[in-house]
Structure formats: structure tokens, C-alpha cells
């Protein structure tokens, strides 16, 4: 396969973490091309005595820039990386930088799959020994019911093709199991999902069902999804901080802590976003992935490995076909605004 | 003070848990009147060889009934309890049963405070050594920006009068710190909150700020708030289950577990909803509280104790005055629909 274009400049610990993470992934056979300031990247190579392909980009979209800036800043690392994908020189693109800008660049450069109103970020929530896919995790703050229907189809196909789930179940995130419970958006989306061919619609799920792993996929608007994702990460972080503090609170606890450390570390690892890999932007006509701004080398490595799996699955083609058949069966008509 | 009317029938473990919890609270000087099936409740008293005041109610709103049923089922325990408050025979009302029915009964019987469009559920999220107040936790799935403004005033006054915070800060739950980030509702609510007198508006907060305790109070619509609350509870439950499993996975871990047990239990307790007490319904012209359906005796006891503190604070009068001055300063005009 063509190399994966890694925006080496976007993110808190870049380019160090991208260079290091890319080296690890390349050592395991993942083809990578780093995109960014060639001089800075090569300094990192020199320190490590190794080298990988680089595409130069003189500019970087910073976290406080506007997402729309990608439109005119064609020399930014994310824009250059996305163009490599469009021109067939890269198989996909990953950025740990400004996620709004990454989405904007993906839409602008790669375009949308036919039948997709809005691409969505697919993220993973740990649930026991597997992960629940949650989308949209933040691309679209205001959604219409039919967007959620499209998310359901895309999420379901992703869970099937990439995560290997057979007939994945899809839940609609709401505030009560009964179909009439929720807000205007979910009540209308519930009706649409009931009539959506090709998905195993489970019905409404609640906040507690995410970690319980009630369904394979959960769909929601990007506002709720992003609040849920950041709350989940923040709670895990807070909880482990309290546990560390408690295990340090007495001599007996400290002694016990030595014995339980490796067991607790396994649990903490399950909750570490650096382990999940990158989040695919589903609905874009190509492979684009968004990583955490605070990604470490390990997160970059995981992201590259999971991106390779996703690209190899050919899920973009599956989603393209899936959305085409959705369009064929959905009655044409005005879609009521559900938010 | 007049006794607190406890709906003794609503909830999973009733009336056992209400009778037991009420006994503990009464032993600490909290005046209680139990409302429900007199025969069933007195059976529980007989088992325990103690007695408390009872108001008979022949009916119960069950979890699968409709909230609106309270309108005609005047003999239901929640309806009878709420009427005791209206008639001045009880100082407040708590129910662990159907929360929609409890809200409906409160609105129907006690009415709203002038200037409040929609009452909101105020809940507590543990953050380090204190709690962050979150509202609305589920009363209003679809909100307008001015509802959030009213929630901010009510939550702020509650944090001040009941929780003893000086000049409590109020955050607006969104998906980015910048004021332009969020959905239609939060963008408009942000503008309103900037101009709201009498509150210390912090600006936008994100999901991660809840457990970090960035602000004293967080306002959001009842859909997002309910998803957040149930996710937070579900994650804590899942995490402790994984930790228990990990601590049981090897002989070394099992040994260590004996030594760290009490330290971990303190952390778990911080996250246990049974410890928080009942959730006040702010904006109702009287004291009404909603508890967890799965409340144990301990949760009933905590709820009664926290309800007494709330009632003694006189916060309903403070909110009534606070909303009156908000109405005086807010320009009258059509409120754009924000969701």
C-alpha cells in the first residue's frame, strides 16, 4: 500500500512524538510519510540515526487558529498531507493537530461520500474486553435526524469491516430506553432508524450503556458525543488520580500498592486513549484520521497501526456502497429539522 | 420544621428501604412522614419494633407508567406527598420513584417560581474533595438559551446557600473553551450568560471539567446533563468492576488487595450516588427532591439529611428573589429557539 501521510507538526509534542511513533510503526512494516517542516523533522531523524520519507510543508495550523484557515493556508502540514491522499501518493492521512482544521481539510480536499450529509468522528469507548464505537464524537455540534441515520449505517459498516463484528448492533444515545424518551432529535431519529435497512437497530441506550457495552455502536449528535467522550476521559483520569492518592495514604496501603500495581496498570491501560489508535472520519471520500492533541509517541504508533488496518479493510468502498443503497430505499422528502 | 414527606413506595426497594432509611434519619432528628400503603409500611415498622408518622396513599405510579398519570391519580403516593407540602403539612417532598411523575406532581401541585420557565434537576458530580453541581440533569430534554440562564442563576444561588460556596463560578457545558464553540443552544446561552447579573460566569467548560472541578456549577440542557450523569455513574461502576477483577487475577494481586481494600473503598464511596443525597428540583415553588430509583436505605437516609439542610437554608426564597431581579434586568423580547 501507499504510505500513510502523517501530519508531523500538529499536536502538543510534535514533531518529536510523530518521528518517534512513526519509527516504531515503520519498524513493524507500516509505510509512513511525514509531512511538515523538513529541517525540524530531519533534526529529529539525526538524533535517532534513522530516516523516513518526508514531504515538506512550511506552515502549521495551530490550536488557536480557525478551522477555516486551511482553505487559504495550502502550505500547512495538514493541507499538504491531505493533498498527498487526493493525488494518490498516500493511502490515508492522520493528524493529531487542530481537529476542526483536519475535518475542514478532509472535506475540502477529499470531499464527501455520496449520500453523506456530514462526516462523523468515530471513537472507541472501552467496555469490558472490547470497545463500543461512538459517533459522532465531535464533528457536528448540531445534527438533523437523517445525519444520525447515516452515522448508524457508517458506524455499523465500520464495526463490521474493521472491527470484525458480525451484524453489529446500533444504539441511539438518549435519556430513557423507551422510544418516546429523549429530545426532538432522538425521537425523530428513532423513527428513521427503525426503518433503516441493513442495520441491527437496538433502540435507545443511555449514558450508562456505553461502558456496559450494551451495543457495538452508539450514534449521537457531535455535541453530546464530544461531551461524553471528554467526560469519560476526564473521569478515568480523575479516578486513577484518586486511587493513586489513596494507595499512598498509609503504610499498609503503600505496601499493598506494590503488589497490585501491575494489575491496576492493566485496567488503566484499557482506558488510555493512547492505546485506542486514531479516530477515523467516516463519510469522507478517503481515509482521514484524527488523533488526540496530547498524543505521545505511543499514541502516534497506535494511530498508524490502526489506520493501516482501516485502510486495508477497504471500508470507504463499503460505506460508499452502503450509503448508495440507503439513498435507494429512503423515501425522498424534506427532512424535518430535529434539533 | 414540619416533617419531610417521603414517598415510601416509589423506588426499587420500597417500602423496606424507605422505612429503614427514614428510621436512621429520624434517629438523628430529621422529622419524616412516610407516604404510602399504610398496611405495608406498618408491617415494616412491626418488623423493626419502631414507628414513624404515616400518611396513607392507596396508589403508586410505577416506573412504566406515564408521568402525566399523576394528574388523575390523586391517590398515588407521590401526589399525596406533594399535597402535604402544598397544604403546609410537610416542609418538602422526596421520591425515589418515577422521576418524570415526581416532576409533574411538583409542577402541578406546587407550581413554578415566577420567572422560571422550566425547573431543573440539580445533581452532584464528585470532583476531588468536593462536588460540582450539574443542572439540568434530566428534567428538560429540549432547552432554550434562557432556560440555561435561569439554571445558572438557580444553581449559583443553591451552591451559595446550601453548599456554602462564596461567589460560586458557573460554567456552560460545551465542546470547546472558546465562546464560539458549541451548538446553537450554547452559543446563544453563552451570550446571555455573559450579561447575567449576580453570577460569576466562567465561560465554556468541557466534559473533562466536570470531574476536574473547574467550576462550582455547570449548566447544560437536560438531555446532555442526563447522558453525562448516567455515563459518569456507569463508568465508575465499570471501572470498579474491572479493578475488582484485576485484583482477583493472581495470588500476588489478591494479597495486595487485602491491604489496599479500605483505601479503595474510600474512593468508591466518593463515587457512590447513595452518598450524595437527593437531587433538588430547582425552580419549583417549594422543596421537591428526586432520588435514584435504586436507592438503598443508606441513600434514603442521605437524601433525608441533605433535604433537611436544603430546606433549612431557605434557598427557595433566595431563588424567588434572584429570579425576580433577573426578570427586572433582562430585556424583554422574543427568545430565539436555541436547539
Amino acid at each position: 500500500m501507499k504510505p500513510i501521510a502523517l501530519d508531523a507538526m500538529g499536536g502538543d509534542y510534535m514533531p518529536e512524538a510523530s518521528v518517534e511513533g512513526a519509527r516504531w510503526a515503520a519498524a513493524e512494516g507500516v509505510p509512513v510519510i511525514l509531512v511538515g517542516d523538513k529541517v525540524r523533522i530531519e533534526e529529529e531523524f539525526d538524533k535517532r540515526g534513522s530516516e523516513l520519507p518526508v514531504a515538506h510543508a512550511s506552515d502549521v495550523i495551530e490550536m488557536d487558529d480557525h478551522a477555516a484557515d486551511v482553505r487559504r493556508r495550502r502550505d500547512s502540514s495538514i493541507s499538504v498531507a491531505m493533498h498527498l491522499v487526493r493525488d494518490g501518493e498516500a493511502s490515508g492521512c492522520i493528524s493529531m493537530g487542530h481537529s476542526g482544521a483536519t475535518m475542514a481539510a478532509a472535506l475540502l480536499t477529499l470531499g464527501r461520500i455520496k449520500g453523506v450529509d456530514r462526516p462523523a468522528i468515530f471513537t472507541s469507548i472501552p467496555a469490558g474486553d472490547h470497545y463500543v464505537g461512538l459517533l459522532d464524537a465531535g464533528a457536528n455540534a448540531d445534527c438533523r435526524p437523517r445525519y444520525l441515520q447515516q452515522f448508524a449505517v457508517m458506524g455499523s459498516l465500520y464495526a463490521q469491516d474493521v472491527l470484525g463484528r458480525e451484524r453489529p448492533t446500533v444504539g441511539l444515545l438518549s435519556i430513557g430506553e423507551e422510544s418516546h424518551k429523549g429530545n426532538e432529535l432522538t425521537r425523530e431519529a428513532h423513527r428513521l432508524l427503525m426503518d433503516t435497512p441493513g442495520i441491527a437497530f437496538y433502540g435507545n441506550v443511555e449514558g450508562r450503556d456505553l461502558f456496559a457495552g450494551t451495543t457495538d455502536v452508539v450514534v449521537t449528535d457531535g455535541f453530546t458525543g464530544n461531551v461524553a467522550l471528554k467526560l469519560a476521559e476526564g473521569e478515568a483520569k480523575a479516578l486513577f488520580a484518586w486511587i493513586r492518592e489513596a494507595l499512598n495514604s498509609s503504610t499498609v496501603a503503600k505496601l499493598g500498592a506494590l503488589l497490585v500495581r501491575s494489575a491496576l496498570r492493566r485496567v488503566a491501560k484499557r482506558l488510555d486513549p493512547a492505546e485506542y489508535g486514531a479516530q477515523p472520519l467516516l463519510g469522507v471520500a478517503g481515509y482521514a484520521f484524527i488523533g488526540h492533541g496530547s498524543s505521545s509517541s505511543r499514541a502516534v504508533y497506535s494511530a498508524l497501526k490502526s489506520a493501516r488496518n482501516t485502510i486495508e479493510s477497504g471500508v470507504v468502498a463499503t460505506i460508499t456502497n452502503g450509503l448508495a443503497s440507503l439513498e435507494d430505499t429512503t423515501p425522498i422528502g424534506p427532512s424535518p429539522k430535529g434539533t
Side-chain angles (χ1 to χ4, degrees), chain A:
Chain A
M1 73 191 253
K2 291 277 179 183
I4 299 171
L6 174 66
D7 171 3
M9 307 308 286
D12 301 344
Y13 309 113
M14 305 304 170
E16 295 82 349
S18 9
V19 170
E20 189 67 14
R23 282 178 64 228
W24 299 345
E28 295 188 16
V30 181
V32 190
I33 178 165
L34 290 141
V35 184
D37 181 337
K38 208 173 165 75
V39 175
R40 284 286 292 112
I41 294 170
E42 286 184 344
E43 273 171 22
E44 295 299 323
F45 284 141
D46 288 345
K47 283 187 211 163
R48 291 165 178 83
S50 68
E51 207 164 343
L52 287 170
V54 177
H56 181 65
S58 57
D59 190 11
V60 191
I61 307 280
E62 303 287 354
M63 294 313 255
D64 48 2
D65 288 332
H66 277 271
D69 288 358
V70 285
R71 193 177 282 275
R72 48 180 187 80
R73 289 166 67 180
R74 302 296 283 272
D75 291 326
S76 61
S77 51
I78 181 62
S79 188
V80 172
M82 217 57 92
H83 277 88
L84 290 176
V85 181
R86 195 198 60 185
D87 298 342
E89 289 171 48
S91 54
C93 168
I94 305 180
S95 177
M96 315 297 182
H98 194 305
S99 52
T102 306
M103 283 184 284
L107 277 170
L108 205 65
T109 315
L110 307 178
R112 281 173 292 142
I113 289 173
K114 191 168 176 295
V116 174
D117 282 287
R118 301 285 178 91
I121 299 171
F122 182 100
T123 193
S124 299
I125 302 280
D129 52 358
H130 66 290
Y131 290 94
V132 169
L134 174 71
L135 75 167
D136 174 20
N140 312 283
D142 288 292
C143 284
R144 292 174 183 229
R146 71 164 185 274
Y147 302 173
L148 269 59
Q149 184 187 32
Q150 295 161 9
F151 298 168
V153 173
M154 296 193 292
S156 182
L157 294 173
Y158 184 89
Q160 194 182 287
D161 274 26
V162 181
L163 309 177
R165 305 283 163 77
E166 275 184 48
R167 207 164 161 63
T169 50
V170 180
L172 172 65
L173 189 57
S174 190
I175 60 170
E177 287 169 19
E178 303 83 349
S179 62
H180 67 274
K181 291 209 173 152
N183 57 15
E184 287 175 22
L185 172 65
T186 61
R187 281 195 298 274
E188 181 58 27
H190 191 104
R191 278 189 286 272
L192 281 181
L193 289 167
M194 290 286 286
D195 291 333
T196 303
I199 63 163
F201 181 50
Y202 172 90
N204 285 0
V205 293
E206 298 189 87
R208 64 171 67 94
D209 290 297
L210 282 167
F211 275 83
T214 307
T215 57
D216 294 297
V217 176
V218 171
V219 292
T220 189
D221 64 276
F223 183 86
T224 310
N226 191 268
V227 166
L229 174 64
K230 286 178 181 162
L231 171 60
E233 289 179 4
E235 180 170 356
K237 204 175 147 189
L239 232 134
F240 277 98
W242 301 342
I243 288 174
R244 262 195 305 277
E245 193 186 287
L247 295 187
N248 210 19
S249 61
S250 74
T251 314
V252 173
K254 276 183 199 168
L255 186 63
L258 294 174
L259 305 176
V260 301
R261 188 179 286 168
S262 75
L264 290 184
R265 219 168 254 166
R266 281 200 306 277
V267 178
K269 202 172 166 180
R270 207 184 284 179
L271 288 151
D272 182 1
E275 300 292 325
Y276 306 177
Q279 302 168 330
L281 194 51
L282 300 184
V284 165
Y287 292 94
F289 302 86
I290 291 173
H292 234 276
S294 62
S295 286
S296 58
S297 316
R298 167 124 200 119
V300 171
Y301 160 83
S302 302
L304 282 164
K305 285 195 66 170
S306 73
R308 177 181 60 178
N309 289 346
T310 303
I311 295 166
E312 283 180 348
S313 76
V315 70
V316 166
T318 315
I319 289 176
T320 306
N321 295 332
L323 266 296
S325 45
L326 181 67
E327 285 218 309
D328 292 346
T329 55
T330 304
I332 308 296
S335 169
K337 182 157 190 213
T339 40

